[in-house]
């Protein structure tokens, strides 16, 4: 049976060339779409690693006419922090770098340990950062003022970086190099700073301990009044009248960041949707045309005892075999992605995308061929033979 179907399709290879090409391109596009979907879904399933509810992100840009000494700038920042913490409804305040959660800013550096190199995201924060975002420590502790006495600056790394450098070994107390020697004081759970669909990457957190800080996070209590944001703004403007201050909710920034992450996926879905529609119409047209051209053959087969179900299965089977040839070429090409480690994605992501794209195309072809197959099964042998 299969050999018969292959012979029929091979004899009409020139007629089916454009459909072969459409199916081949459709598989590659679907493979790309499902790769993105599987990748984003895998990232989405990972724990967020911190709490963003009732957190405000504040940026206060201030220019000083004459650059004060660094110690004076540090005192001004600490004074502002104390003033903000005194506002009712605020439970914690933490200075952060510009690449705080859900911002568009990024920063990375090459980290070294025992000749192992890793490009890691780099963040700066103060002692209250972990408490404010309710992050979970896996080993050790978050850095504090007590760690400043150390000859090497204290840092906290995430689980991903700890696993790449130390495996199952305890990283606390180990020395790594990041433009200077740094002592690890703790390991924190992975945090998806870049959004719910962001990839978990290696990360290192360093302590902010001096200079003027113009970006910080503020954690509000459950009972915080609606006027709390207004009081925060007035407090900053009272201390720095010439500053330009922006206050945003971390929840809103998360929504924006997630939407931006999904834009490429939505575009690919729209493009693939149009392509799949054209393929579906093409397959339906080819099968329908084939049925009408072979009415005499179908009528003869039914006259010698072929059942309606057998005719339907033959029509659908021909369509599936027709699909399998370009699909096989597409799978051979798609398998090169995990074999060659292209785009540095896990092999499981590519394999899942190949399986999903294959199943989707087979399901689509089955649906497109099912109606013409059923219509073929309703042909009366006498009428078909008389027409032939």
């Amino acid at each position: 049976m299969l050999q018969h179907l292959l012979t029929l399709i091979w004899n009409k290879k020139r007629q089916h060339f454009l459909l072969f090409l459409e199916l081949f391109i459709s598989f590659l596009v679907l493979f790309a779409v499902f790769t993105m979907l599987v990748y984003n879904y895998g990232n989405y399933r990972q724990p967020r690693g911190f709490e963003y509810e009732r957190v405000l992100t504040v940026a206060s840009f201030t220019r000083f006419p004459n650059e004060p000494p660094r110690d004076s700038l540090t005192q001004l920042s600490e004074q502002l922090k104390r003033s903000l913490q005194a506002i009712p409804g605020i439970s914690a305040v933490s200075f952060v770098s510009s690449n705080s959660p859900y911002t568009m800013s990024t920063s990375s550096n090459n980290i070294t340990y025992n000749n192992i190199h890793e490009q890691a995201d780099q963040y700066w924060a103060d002692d209250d950062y972990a408490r404010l975002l309710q992050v979970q420590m896996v080993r050790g502790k978050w850095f504090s003022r007590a760690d400043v006495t150390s000859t090497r600056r204290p840092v906290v790394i995430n689980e991903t970086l700890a696993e790449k450098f130390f495996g199952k070994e305890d990283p606390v107390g180990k020395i790594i190099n990041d433009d200077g020697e740094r002592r690890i004081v703790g390991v924190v759970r992975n945090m998806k700073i870049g959004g719910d669909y962001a990839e978990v990457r290696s990360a290192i957190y360093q302590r902010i301990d001096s200079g003027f800080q113009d970006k910080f996070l503020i954690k509000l209590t459950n009972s915080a009044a609606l006027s709390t944001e207004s009081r925060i703004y007035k407090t900053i403007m009272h201390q720095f009248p010439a500053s330009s201050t922006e206050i945003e909710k971390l929840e809103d920034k998360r929504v924006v960041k997630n939407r931006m992450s999904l834009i490429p996926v939505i575009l690919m879905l729209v493009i693939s949707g149009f392509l799949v529609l054209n393929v579906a119409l093409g397959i339906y047209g080819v099968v329908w045309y084939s049925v009408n051209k072979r009415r005499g053959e179908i009528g003869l087969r039914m006259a010698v005892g072929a059942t309606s179900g057998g005719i339907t299965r033959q029509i659908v089977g021909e369509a599936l075999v027709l699909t399998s040839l370009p699909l096989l070429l597409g799978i051979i090409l798609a398998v090169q992605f995990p074999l060659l480690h292209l785009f540095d994605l896990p092999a499981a992501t590519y394999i899942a995308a190949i399986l999903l794209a294959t199943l989707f195309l087979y399901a689509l072809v089955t649906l497109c061929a099912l109606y013409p197959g059923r219509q073929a099964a309703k042909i009366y042998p006498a009428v078909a033979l008389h027409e032939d």
Side-chain angles (χ1 to χ4, degrees), residues 110-118 161-162 164-167 169-171 173-178 182 184:
N110 186 48
I111 315 297
T112 306
Y113 175 76
N114 281 354
N115 295 323
I116 304 175
H117 299 271
E118 176 68 14
L161 185 59
K164 289 183 178 180
F165 276 168
F166 307 102
E169 187 180 355
D170 187 0
K174 297 293 194 298
I175 306 301
I176 59 177
N177 193 288
D178 169 26
R182 307 283 186 258
I184 300 174

Side-chain angles (χ1 to χ4, degrees), residues 297-312:
E297 174 196 337
I298 295 172
L300 181 61
R301 291 197 57 180
M302 295 191 70
V304 297
T307 62
S308 298
I311 295 297
T312 302

Side-chain angles (χ1 to χ4, degrees), residues 169-340:
E169 187 180 355
D170 187 0
V172 176
K174 297 293 194 298
I175 306 301
I176 59 177
N177 193 288
D178 169 26
D179 297 330
E181 292 187 339
R182 307 283 186 258
R183 182 173 62 90
I184 300 174
V185 297
V187 179
V188 70
R189 289 282 184 200
N190 291 326
M191 290 188 280
K192 295 193 292 186
I193 301 294
D196 293 344
Y197 304 99
E199 178 187 8
V200 174
R201 293 161 48 90
S202 299
I204 181 172
Y205 301 86
Q206 302 201 46
R207 186 175 186 271
I208 293 177
D209 56 4
S210 62
F212 182 74
Q213 307 302 324
D214 56 6
K215 297 178 180 63
F216 39 93
L217 301 177
I218 298 177
K219 178 74 172 182
L220 303 180
T221 62
N222 293 330
S223 58
L226 295 176
S227 60
T228 304
E229 290 186 35
S230 175
R231 296 191 63 178
I232 292 172
Y233 180 80
K234 291 178 180 178
T235 300
I236 297 173
M237 296 305 295
H238 176 74
Q239 188 162 341
F240 303 104
S243 65
S244 174
T245 303
E246 297 177 359
I247 302 177
E248 298 177 274
K249 293 181 179 179
L250 213 56
E251 298 174 40
D252 296 337
K253 294 177 72 68
R254 169 179 170 267
V255 171
V256 173
K257 191 71 173 179
N258 287 341
R259 286 177 179 174
M260 292 189 65
S261 299
L262 291 177
I263 287 176
V265 180
I266 294 173
L267 289 176
M268 287 295 293
L269 285 173
V270 172
I271 294 172
S272 63
F274 281 110
L275 186 59
V276 167
L277 178 62
N278 288 328
V279 170
L281 293 175
I283 293 172
Y284 181 84
V286 167
V287 176
W288 185 265
Y289 178 78
S290 176
V291 168
N292 286 327
K293 291 286 288 183
R294 298 163 57 192
R295 288 175 63 87
E297 174 196 337
I298 295 172
L300 181 61
R301 291 197 57 180
M302 295 191 70
V304 297
T307 62
S308 298
I311 295 297
T312 302
R313 286 193 294 272
Q314 179 188 350
I315 300 300
V316 174
E318 289 178 9
L320 292 176
V321 173
L322 176 68
T323 305
S324 298
L325 298 179
L327 205 59
L328 180 61
L329 296 177
I331 291 174
I332 292 174
L333 181 60
V335 166
Q336 306 309 310
F337 283 76
L339 293 178
L340 300 177

Side-chain angles (χ1 to χ4, degrees), residues 83-94:
S83 299
L84 292 172
Q85 288 174 330
I87 298 175
I90 293 180
S91 62
V93 179
S94 174

Side-chain angles (χ1 to χ4, degrees), residues 95-107:
F95 294 127
V96 293
S97 52
S98 59
N99 58 339
S100 57
Y102 306 135
T103 59
M104 303 301 171
S105 177
T106 59
S107 177

